Every structure is written in structure tokens, then in C-alpha cells.
């Protein structure tokens, strides 16, 4: 229930604007994502989880994340919601191409 409420908080108009601005500032750069997006995402989560007994700081968010992680394997719905939450503030990860077709092989000299 708390996890669904956290996800819902990200879609609130004021929070969506905050996240969009942070993403724009980050320019899809992982270092800048940590600098701009993660703090906003943490604040949005803090606003929700404090009503459920978690401390209103980074440690509270970490405890919440660890608790969610501990239930992911037991409950497919929690695993699904956790994935949705991560997708809200982590950029999609693309792996660099490998193999001869991508120029990934080294020519013998």
C-alpha cells in the first residue's frame, strides 16, 4: 500500500514538474542523475513514507527501500511496483554493443 502511494505521489502535478526539471538538468548523464534527480525522488518518497513511521531523511528512504527489496521475492505485486518506482527516477540502461558486427573485436596485429 505504501509503495503504491509513493508511486502515485510521483504523478502528482507538482512532483511531476519537479522530476521533469531534475531530468532536464541531468541531461541523461548518470552522474548528474545522482546530483539532480535522486535528491528530488528522495524528497518525494520522504513526504509519503513519514506518515508510515519512517524517518523523514535519507536513512528513512533507505530503510523503506531495503524493506521493499526484502519482500520483492515473496510478492510479485511488490516486485512489479518496485520496478515501476525505480523506472520513475532511473534512466533506462542501455548496454554498449559487443561483438564483431559492432566493431567490438580487436584486430590481430
Amino acid at each position: 500500500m505504501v509503495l503504491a502511494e509513493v508511486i502515485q505521489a510521483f504523478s502528482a502535478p507538482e512532483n511531476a514538474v519537479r522530476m521533469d526539471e531534475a531530468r532536464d538538468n541531468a541531461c541523461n548523464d548518470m552522474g548528474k542523475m545522482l546530483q539532480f534527480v535522486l535528491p528530488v525522488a528522495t524528497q518525494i518518497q520522504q513526504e509519503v513514507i513519514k506518515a508510515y513511521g519512517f524517518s523523514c531523511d535519507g536513512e528513512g528512504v533507505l530503510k523503506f527501500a531495503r524493506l521493499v527489496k526484502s519482500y520483492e521475492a515473496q510478492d510479485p505485486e511488490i516486485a512489479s511496483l518496485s520496478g515501476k518506482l525505480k523506472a520513475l527516477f532511473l534512466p533506462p540502461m542501455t548496454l554498449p554493443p559487443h561483438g564483431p558486427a559492432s566493431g567490438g573485436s580487436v584486430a590481430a596485429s
Side-chain angles (χ1 to χ4, degrees):
M1 181 174 101
V2 180
L3 188 53
E5 193 174 326
V6 168
I7 292 170
Q8 188 176 12
F10 278 89
S11 63
E14 66 275 8
N15 290 335
V17 168
R18 291 169 62 197
M19 287 296 291
D20 286 343
E21 288 173 353
R23 282 189 200 98
D24 289 346
N25 289 331
C27 301
N28 213 22
D29 176 281
M30 186 51 94
K32 290 182 179 180
M33 293 292 276
L34 293 172
Q35 182 181 358
F36 296 112
V37 178
L38 192 59
V40 173
T42 299
Q43 289 170 357
I44 292 169
Q45 290 180 73
Q46 287 171 343
E47 292 165 8
V48 175
I49 65 173
K50 69 182 179 184
Y52 295 92
F54 292 92
S55 59
C56 191
D57 56 13
E59 186 62 31
V61 172
L62 290 174
K63 286 180 182 179
F64 175 70
R66 282 190 290 250
L67 184 63
V68 168
K69 184 76 174 161
S70 72
Y71 286 110
E72 283 179 353
Q74 301 168 25
D75 189 328
E77 184 179 359
I78 290 176
S80 173
L81 290 172
S82 177
K84 288 178 184 177
L85 178 60
K86 290 173 191 167
L88 289 171
F89 57 90
L90 293 176
M93 299 300 288
T94 55
L95 297 175
H98 295 309
S102 67
S105 63
V106 177
S109 30

